[in-house]
């Protein structure tokens, strides 16, 4: 019986992987809106690495005290993914002029993620674990996407939801 190849056997040169990562970035960036659970932040760095997202921005977050834990949880992807803290809505607005703001949030105007197919570079806004995307950021968004919930619960883990929507967005931009 043949065993499947490992990721390292398929991609043996880490330097080459990082170079490709930087030279062919995804058209998506993440904006984390007040996330509190460092496990989610670490998982989002891993998701960014897996999907060639080169930049993550934090809005109204304080991660400095947990930098070492986030680095460990993210499996050192913090080494090559740019992270910047944004402190004002004007900074977010400026970023929104380059990347179309899209909220990952269930609203009265949101659409199911799997019906969205635009190819614009976008800023996926990922909200707080309990409160969701803040009203001030929702007001900047062109669209809001939600994941249809088929069970009794009304939401899922923020990093899992971001993974589902990120890979859909990548598929619609022909990255994968």
């Amino acid at each position: 019986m043949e065993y499947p190849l490992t990721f390292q056997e398929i991609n043996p040169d880490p330097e080459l992987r990082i170079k490709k990562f930087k030279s062919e970035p995804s058209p998506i960036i993440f904006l984390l809106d007040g996330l509190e659970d460092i496990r989610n932040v670490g998982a989002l760095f891993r998701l960014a690495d897996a999907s060639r997202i080169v930049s993550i921005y934090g809005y109204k977050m304080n991660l400095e005290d947990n930098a070492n834990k986030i680095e460990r949880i993210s499996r050192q992807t913090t080494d090559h993914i740019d992270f910047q803290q944004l402190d004002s809505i004007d900074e977010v607005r400026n970023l929104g002029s380059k990347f179309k703001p899209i909220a990952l949030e269930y609203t009265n105007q949101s659409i199911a993620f799997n019906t969205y197919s635009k190819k614009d570079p976008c800023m996926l806004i990922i909200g707080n674990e309990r409160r969701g995307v803040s009203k001030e950021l929702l007001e900047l968004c062109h669209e809001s996407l939600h994941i249809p919930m088929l069970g009794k619960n009304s939401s899922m883990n923020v990093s899992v939801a971001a993974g589902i929507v990120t890979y859909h967005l990548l598929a619609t931009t022909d990255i994968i």
Side-chain angles (χ1 to χ4, degrees), residues 9-41:
E9 289 170 329
I10 296 168
N11 300 287
D13 185 351
E15 299 286 325
L16 186 59
R17 288 196 315 262
I18 298 289
K19 186 176 179 182
K20 184 171 185 174
F21 183 94
K22 296 283 188 183
S23 67
E24 298 175 22
S26 166
I28 304 167
I29 61 171
F30 288 160
L31 176 66
L32 312 183
D33 181 17
L35 265 64
E36 296 172 355
D37 190 329
I38 60 168
R39 294 170 297 186
N40 283 325
V41 175

Side-chain angles (χ1 to χ4, degrees), residues 62-131:
N62 180 10
L63 301 177
E64 291 175 16
D65 296 340
N66 294 306
N68 290 337
K69 287 180 185 175
I70 292 169
E71 184 177 345
R72 189 176 66 251
I73 294 166
S74 75
R75 297 184 70 178
Q76 287 73 44
T77 56
T78 55
D79 294 344
H80 61 276
I81 296 170
D82 181 45
F83 179 82
Q84 293 180 44
Q85 179 66 36
L86 305 179
D87 297 315
S88 74
I89 196 71
D90 289 333
E91 290 176 301
V92 177
R93 223 179 255 115
N94 184 44
L95 193 57
S97 68
K98 299 175 196 129
F99 294 90
K100 181 179 180 178
I102 299 173
L104 176 53
E105 184 70 60
Y106 205 111
T107 72
N108 60 354
Q109 295 180 351
S110 62
I111 62 171
F113 80 96
N114 57 331
T115 64
Y116 185 82
S117 63
K118 296 181 180 143
K119 299 181 182 226
D120 304 321
C122 70
M123 170 178 29
L124 185 61
I125 302 176
I126 302 162
N128 177 276
E129 293 89 350
R130 285 174 283 149
R131 296 179 302 276

